[in-house]
Amino acid sequence: MDEDIARQLREPFPAEKIGKLPKLTCGACRDSRTKNCDNHRKERCRICGNWLSVQHTHIDYVGHADITDRFLEVDPGWGWEPVAREVDKDLLRAAIETGNPDIVKQVMDAAPPQMDSNGGFWMRVTIAGTTRLGYGDGGGKRGPDAVKVAIGDGLRNAGMRFGVGLDMWRKETDTGDAPQSQPPAEQRTNARWLESIKSRIAKATSTEELRTLGNELEAKVQGGFCEQDHYDEVWQLGTARLQEVEQAEAERPAPPPEERQAPRPVTAADEFTARLKAADTLEDLADLNGEVMAAFKAGKLDVNEGNGLLRAIKNKQHDVGTRPA
C-alpha cells in the first residue's frame, strides 16, 4: 500500500466524530439480566446517555458511517466480502439448472454472510489493492439485524488493521477493569464541533436534518461537551433555520400533474410478499416456495428478490412449525 494512503487511513478522527461506548467494569453487573447487580444502582449516564449500572467506563469509538467515509476518502473503489456465504441451496440449484454461469455467480455473490456459532463472521476488506481480515460480532442479535451489526463491527475491526482509529483501539485494550467514569465537573464546548454544527444548521434544507442536529446538540449537553451559552446560541440558530425551512416547504408549489411520479407497478416480488404475509400453514409455504423457485428460473425474479423471498419463507416455516398446538 502507498505510504500516503496508509498515512491518511491513520489520521486521528476529529472530536465531533468520536462517540462514547459504555463498558461495564463489574462482572456481576455484566452477568445480570438487568445489567446491574445488588451493589450498583442504575442511572442515566451524563456522558453516554445510557440507562445502566453506575459501575462502567467509556470507550471511544467511531461509527460505521464515519469508518466508511474514511475508506472512501482514500479509495473510492474499496470493498469488502464475507469469507464464507450462506448460499440458499434451492436457489443455487435453480441457477445451475438455467445453464447460465453468470446467474450462478450472481447467486453466489448475492448470498449473505454465513454467521458462525458465536454470532459473527469473518470478512475481507480491500483498500487500495491491499486486503486484510476483520471479524464482525452480531452483538447477540438474530437475523438481518445481526448481519447489519456484524458488518459495521467487522469494518471497524478490519479498519484497525489498516491503522484506522488505532489510537482508540489501543485505549480500549488498555482500559481493562478501570474505575467507573465520572461525569465532567463542568460543561466544556469543543470549538471545532461548535463551528461545525453552526455551519450544518445554516446549510440544512429539511426539517428532518434539523431535528437530527437538535438530537446531536442534546447529546453533547448530556455528555458535558457544550456550555449553556453555546447551547442557547445553537438552539436559537436551529429554531430560526427550522422556521425558514418550514416556510420554504409550505410555499413550494406542487409539481405539475405530468411531473408527478406515477405509481410503481406491482411486481412479481410484491405479489409473492403479499402472499407470504397471508400464508399461515406449512403446506401454503411449501407451495409458495416452489412458485418462487419457478418464477426465478423463468426470469420473473432477480437474484436479490429470489434470495430475500426464499429466506423469508424459511423463517416463517420455522415460526409456523414451532407454534404450540
Side-chain angles (χ1 to χ4, degrees):
M1 176 181 288
D2 180 85
E3 180 56 34
D4 185 54
I5 290 179
R7 180 188 57 75
Q8 292 178 57
L9 286 168
R10 292 194 300 267
E11 280 289 324
F13 284 91
E16 64 268 18
K17 292 189 177 181
I18 299 176
K20 296 291 182 182
L21 185 69
K23 179 180 180 182
L24 294 173
T25 57
C26 168
C29 289
R30 284 196 296 269
D31 296 338
S32 168
R33 182 179 60 82
T34 59
K35 297 305 177 185
N36 73 299
C37 67
D38 294 338
N39 296 323
H40 300 117
R41 70 185 186 281
K42 271 186 170 183
E43 65 178 32
R44 180 74 62 186
C45 177
R46 289 178 53 200
I47 294 176
C48 65
N50 288 286
W51 178 260
L52 74 173
S53 165
V54 296
Q55 197 66 18
H56 71 279
T57 186
H58 293 98
I59 298 169
D60 289 345
Y61 81 101
V62 174
H64 177 191
D66 289 317
I67 292 290
T68 302
D69 186 54
R70 175 62 59 85
F71 293 171
L72 287 168
E73 284 179 358
V74 302
D75 178 16
W78 78 279
W80 74 273
E81 62 176 355
V83 171
R85 293 182 182 273
E86 186 179 347
V87 182
D88 187 287
K89 294 179 181 179
D90 291 337
L91 193 66
L92 180 60
R93 187 180 301 112
I96 292 172
E97 289 175 1
T98 66
N100 188 330
D102 290 337
I103 294 179
V104 175
K105 185 177 186 304
Q106 288 175 26
V107 169
M108 298 290 289
D109 291 345
Q114 184 172 12
M115 308 294 280
D116 60 23
S117 59
N118 296 316
F121 66 88
W122 286 94
M123 64 166 60
R124 298 185 187 91
V125 174
T126 302
I127 303 174
T130 298
T131 301
R132 289 174 183 158
L133 288 172
Y135 182 81
D137 182 3
K141 296 182 181 294
R142 295 181 57 192
D145 287 340
V147 175
K148 288 187 287 187
V149 171
I151 290 172
D153 188 57
L155 292 180
R156 284 189 290 269
N157 185 268
M160 179 269 293
R161 288 166 171 78
F162 285 96
V164 179
L166 193 58
D167 51 334
M168 287 179 283
W169 282 86
R170 187 178 295 115
K171 287 179 186 176
E172 177 179 351
T173 303
D174 295 343
T175 298
D177 287 337
Q180 71 177 81
S181 296
Q182 297 295 328
E186 58 180 345
Q187 300 277 347
R188 293 180 180 275
T189 303
N190 180 285
R192 290 181 63 184
W193 168 80
L194 180 62
E195 292 307 312
S196 170
I197 197 168
K198 286 181 183 179
S199 174
R200 284 181 286 160
I201 286 173
K203 295 176 181 177
T205 57
S206 70
T207 55
E208 181 180 355
E209 187 177 356
L210 286 164
R211 290 193 178 97
T212 299
L213 291 171
N215 291 336
E216 179 181 332
L217 175 62
E218 294 295 338
K220 287 292 183 181
V221 173
Q222 288 182 9
F225 304 117
C226 182
E227 298 164 34
Q228 185 64 46
D229 290 346
H230 294 144
Y231 171 86
D232 293 340
E233 178 187 4
V234 173
W235 190 261
Q236 289 173 8
L237 288 172
T239 301
R241 183 59 183 156
L242 180 61
Q243 292 174 349
E244 293 175 356
V245 170
E246 287 178 336
Q247 183 175 354
E249 290 178 349
E251 295 175 351
R252 188 174 300 139
E258 64 273 11
E259 293 182 10
R260 290 176 183 164
Q261 187 174 4
R264 186 176 67 86
V266 177
T267 65
D270 294 331
E271 295 177 352
F272 282 127
T273 300
R275 290 178 56 192
L276 175 59
K277 289 181 180 178
D280 200 38
T281 67
L282 291 175
E283 291 77 9
D284 289 342
L285 291 166
D287 290 343
L288 186 60
N289 189 85
E291 291 184 41
V292 168
M293 295 285 296
F296 171 73
K297 286 191 281 188
K300 296 178 181 178
L301 297 171
D302 64 27
V303 171
N304 290 324
E305 291 170 336
N307 244 331
L309 283 165
L310 289 174
R311 289 177 64 82
I313 291 171
K314 288 184 177 179
N315 288 338
K316 191 160 185 179
Q317 285 174 325
H318 176 269
D319 293 341
V320 171
T322 54
R323 286 176 186 167

